[in-house]
Amino acid sequence: LKAFDASLARLGLDYVDLYLIHWPVVGKFADTWRALERLHQDGLARSIGVSNFMQHHLDELLASASRLPVVNQIEHHPHLQQPELIEYCRQQRIQVECWSPLMKGEVFALQPLQDIAQQYGKNAGQVALRWQLQKGLVTIPKSTKRANIESNAQVFDFELTDEQMAAIDALDQGRRIGPDPDNFDF
């Protein structure tokens, strides 16, 4: 609660639209969730959610939670798709939000995405983002460069075919770019 108050003061706001638990720290996230529920109840956080929670983390959280997270922000890209976790979140009515959707730039080197991109006059990153959107996922590509931000937004003027979606689905390797939610130390 103190960290939230400090963040709110730095932002100069009266409330935030969404506040997340960033990592499922064992032995702490249930208490942290109760604090987020209080922030929501007090109108200081309009929505609350989690980030990097696997199904077993969510099961533990939901066992004592009085409200569901609205979002689970997870690493998701062509090489790490986590379909079972996504389906679980859908069943629980938790929106999946993808971080690192462009694999820290590695997605641009994936030949199947380059081939699809060429058919639409797009780039591989735009194809990866479109693929996530068509799966009903929220995607948040990170960039500080104006040209990349604008490019990332140009994904609503084409649609991938079922065959193209399946080709990207076939790229799953279960390979993480970021830390493993079950084995992180920070």
Side-chain angles (χ1 to χ4, degrees):
L1 294 174
K2 288 179 184 178
F4 177 85
D5 289 342
S7 294
L8 205 59
R10 282 193 306 274
L11 291 168
L13 298 172
D14 297 324
Y15 69 91
V16 296
D17 289 320
L18 176 63
Y19 201 60
L20 305 177
I21 296 175
H22 199 71
W23 287 96
V25 177
V26 176
K28 294 184 180 181
F29 67 76
D31 288 337
T32 303
W33 185 252
R34 282 190 286 282
L36 266 64
E37 288 178 328
R38 182 173 160 197
L39 294 169
H40 179 266
Q41 183 177 345
D42 292 346
L44 297 171
R46 297 252 169 112
S47 298
I48 53 176
V50 295
S51 186
N52 301 301
F53 275 54
M54 307 300 290
Q55 181 175 338
H56 64 94
H57 300 125
L58 289 167
D59 285 339
E60 184 178 336
L61 181 72
L62 297 179
S64 63
S66 62
R67 81 178 292 105
L68 290 172
V70 297
V71 167
N72 185 15
Q73 185 182 85
I74 63 171
E75 181 178 353
H76 184 276
H77 46 71
H79 283 176
L80 181 65
Q81 298 179 27
Q82 306 189 73
E84 296 85 8
L85 177 58
I86 290 170
E87 181 56 32
Y88 177 83
C89 287
R90 281 195 176 117
Q91 291 171 3
Q92 297 298 323
R93 300 183 55 152
I94 300 170
Q95 176 64 54
V96 172
E97 182 175 295
C98 310
W99 64 263
S100 199
L102 303 179
M103 302 168 51
K104 294 188 177 181
E106 291 181 32
V107 75
F108 293 96
L110 299 179
Q111 192 61 52
L113 272 67
Q114 291 176 4
D115 294 343
I116 294 169
Q118 188 174 23
Q119 296 174 38
Y120 295 101
K122 297 291 183 179
N123 64 48
Q126 291 167 319
V127 169
L129 297 174
R130 182 68 204 178
W131 165 73
Q132 289 176 322
L133 292 171
Q134 282 184 224
K135 288 181 163 295
L137 306 174
V138 172
T139 183
I140 50 170
K142 180 181 172 184
S143 182
T144 58
K145 297 179 180 163
R146 182 181 180 98
N148 291 345
I149 293 168
E150 289 174 356
S151 175
N152 291 341
Q154 295 171 0
V155 296
F156 299 102
D157 58 349
F158 71 106
E159 188 170 319
L160 301 173
T161 66
D162 291 343
E163 294 79 18
Q164 292 166 333
M165 294 289 289
I168 300 170
D169 289 346
L171 298 174
D172 193 0
Q173 300 175 359
R175 182 175 72 88
R176 292 186 177 281
I177 301 294
D180 180 344
D182 285 324
N183 299 297
F184 62 91
D185 185 25
F186 50 86

